[in-house]
């Protein structure tokens, strides 16, 4: 598994941010003495999101579950990411195109292309949506959330065991348990 070039700039979609914030929202995972992947992302990269992602996070934060708490944690960290309207960028369309994805993902892709960031962070790693995201990105690489965690381990920012524990903590609430992609990544961490 190659980690590729280091991510210095990234646009993140809603699902990826929620996934990375699940460990802090999970009462069984202690981010005081274990890696916090959201904190690491927000302190190691210049992170940008479109306003639609903030809107989606605000909607999710209303739920009284791990997803709601995770979204609340992402919103509370707003000093560590920039909110940029992709349609105000010079290299962007005037309005949202139809890509077959939700609005947050679509706006994130438009923003990633306009800013020419290193990567687009997403939870889209299965099914047809991965192909849609990949096809719509013009320069940034697609970075699935579980792959980012594996790359943190490969880069020495956490141990392989810590990365496995993170993925296993995130998997149940994010429905990663039966994903062949996640299973393959976990096998690399053995």
């Amino acid at each position: 598994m190659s980690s590729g070039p280091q991510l210095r700039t990234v646009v993140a979609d809603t699902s990826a941010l929620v996934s990375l914030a699940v460990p802090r929202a999970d009462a069984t995972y202690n981010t005081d003495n274990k890696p916090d992947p959201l904190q690491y992302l927000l302190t190691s990269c210049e992170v940008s999101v479109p306003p639609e992602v903030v809107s989606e996070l605000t909607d999710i934060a209303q739920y009284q579950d791990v997803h709601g708490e995770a979204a609340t944690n992402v919103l509370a960290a707003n000093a560590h990411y920039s909110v940029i309207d992709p349609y105000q960028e010079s290299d962007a369309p005037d309005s949202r195109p139809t890509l077959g994805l939700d609005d947050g993902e679509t706006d994130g892709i438009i923003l990633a292309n306009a800013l020419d960031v290193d990567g687009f962070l997403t939870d889209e790693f299965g099914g047809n949506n991965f192909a849609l995201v990949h096809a719509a990105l013009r320069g940034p690489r697609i970075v699935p959330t579980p792959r980012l965690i594996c790359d943190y381990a490969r880069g020495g920012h956490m141990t392989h065991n810590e990365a496995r524990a993170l993925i296993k903590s995130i998997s149940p609430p994010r429905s990663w348990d039966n994903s062949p992609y996640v299973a393959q990544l976990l096998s690399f961490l053995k």
Side-chain angles (χ1 to χ4, degrees), residues 31-143:
T31 55
D32 292 336
N33 58 18
K34 294 179 183 174
D36 181 339
L38 178 66
Q39 180 183 30
Y40 190 74
L41 173 74
L42 296 177
T43 58
S44 68
C45 292
E46 181 181 320
V47 179
S48 301
V49 300
E52 183 62 29
V53 166
V54 174
S55 177
E56 290 175 1
L57 289 167
T58 302
D59 290 345
I60 295 168
Q62 296 176 33
Y63 291 97
Q64 302 299 313
D65 61 9
V66 69
H67 298 103
E69 189 173 336
T72 298
N73 290 338
V74 175
L75 291 168
N78 66 353
H80 300 283
Y81 56 85
S82 301
V83 180
I84 301 171
D85 184 342
Y87 304 104
Q88 298 301 311
E89 297 298 308
S90 61
D91 190 26
D94 294 332
S95 61
R96 183 178 293 130
T98 303
L99 299 179
L101 302 164
D102 74 32
D103 292 347
E105 290 166 338
T106 299
D107 287 2
I109 290 166
I110 299 303
L111 183 60
N113 286 337
L115 296 179
D116 193 27
V117 295
D118 298 325
F120 176 64
L121 184 60
T122 183
D123 267 8
E124 294 298 346
F125 49 82
N128 293 333
N129 285 355
F130 180 86
L132 293 172
V133 171
H134 191 277
L137 289 170
R138 291 193 314 255
R141 66 182 185 171
I142 186 171
V143 182

Side-chain angles (χ1 to χ4, degrees), residues 140-160:
R141 66 182 185 171
I142 186 171
V143 182
T145 312
R147 174 58 186 258
L148 177 70
I149 294 169
C150 288
D151 287 350
Y152 286 160
R154 286 188 49 84
H157 304 291
M158 64 182 70
T159 67
H160 284 218

